Amino acid sequence: MAEESNGAEEAGFELPLLLFAGFRSIIDAMHRDLAAHGHQDVRPAYGFALQAVGWEGASASEIGRRLGVSKQAAGKTVDKLEGLGYVERVDDPEDGRRKLVRLTARGVDMLARSAEGFDRLRAEWVAELGAERVGAMEADLRRMAPAAAFRLDAERWFAG
């Protein structure tokens, strides 16, 4: 377990590094689990994109807005996800001039496994740190990073 500190003499740059390290530890564990279940081609950004597609489907423009990226960037991501079998493009039943991006069974499976995995990983943190500390950490992070400040435009962070 990492050394504990009273926080009094911590350098300011350590907070974002520790937050990112915690994020990466969860994401890396999630992707090992997904790979073991047939989703070895998934990158962290794809989960954000599949969430933006949603259960009802969405147009490329809507996906771009939800992710905070251009329609063209969203289209490239959709192309990749379609090539991997996670989404499909279909005619929009309400507007025959536009295409709707929908999750395939493979995309639904990946999201379901991700949800189960995140619950399991959170339970591991609770087992290590205690429910009260994890709950307090989550509450503190919600307070310091309100939902309005959260954007799903992290795709470029995971390129490579």
Side-chain angles (χ1 to χ4, degrees):
M1 188 152 105
E3 259 183 60
E4 294 206 21
S5 164
N6 64 12
E9 66 278 342
E10 300 297 328
F13 69 86
E14 288 187 278
L15 177 60
L17 293 176
L18 289 168
L19 289 168
F20 186 68
F23 170 79
R24 280 303 304 256
S25 71
I26 290 170
I27 295 300
D28 290 348
M30 171 60 60
H31 283 270
R32 284 190 299 274
D33 185 60
L34 288 171
H37 289 94
H39 297 284
Q40 60 276 7
D41 46 9
V42 174
R43 293 181 29 207
Y46 297 166
F48 290 124
L50 291 175
Q51 289 290 333
V53 170
W55 298 112
E56 301 299 318
S59 69
S61 295
E62 290 168 329
I63 295 166
R65 276 193 301 279
R66 292 172 185 173
L67 293 172
V69 300
S70 69
K71 177 183 175 181
Q72 293 78 13
K76 283 184 178 182
T77 300
V78 168
D79 289 343
K80 184 68 173 174
L81 291 171
E82 187 176 33
L84 294 170
Y86 290 103
V87 299
E88 62 184 354
R89 286 182 170 100
V90 298
D91 290 331
D92 185 332
E94 295 179 16
D95 183 351
R97 297 168 297 170
R98 104 181 170 149
K99 291 287 186 182
L100 196 61
V101 179
R102 288 193 318 205
L103 299 172
T104 62
R106 182 168 168 77
V108 170
D109 181 67
M110 197 281 286
L111 285 179
R113 288 186 186 278
S114 293
E116 292 167 5
F118 282 128
D119 287 345
R120 180 183 46 76
L121 291 165
R122 185 184 185 282
E124 289 175 12
W125 281 49
V126 167
E128 180 71 24
L129 302 173
E132 187 175 314
R133 287 185 68 186
V134 171
M137 177 175 46
E138 290 168 335
D140 289 344
L141 288 170
R142 280 187 201 97
R143 178 177 176 194
M144 298 307 294
F150 183 71
R151 291 181 41 182
L152 293 178
D153 62 352
E155 181 173 355
R156 66 180 161 265
W157 298 359
F158 302 108

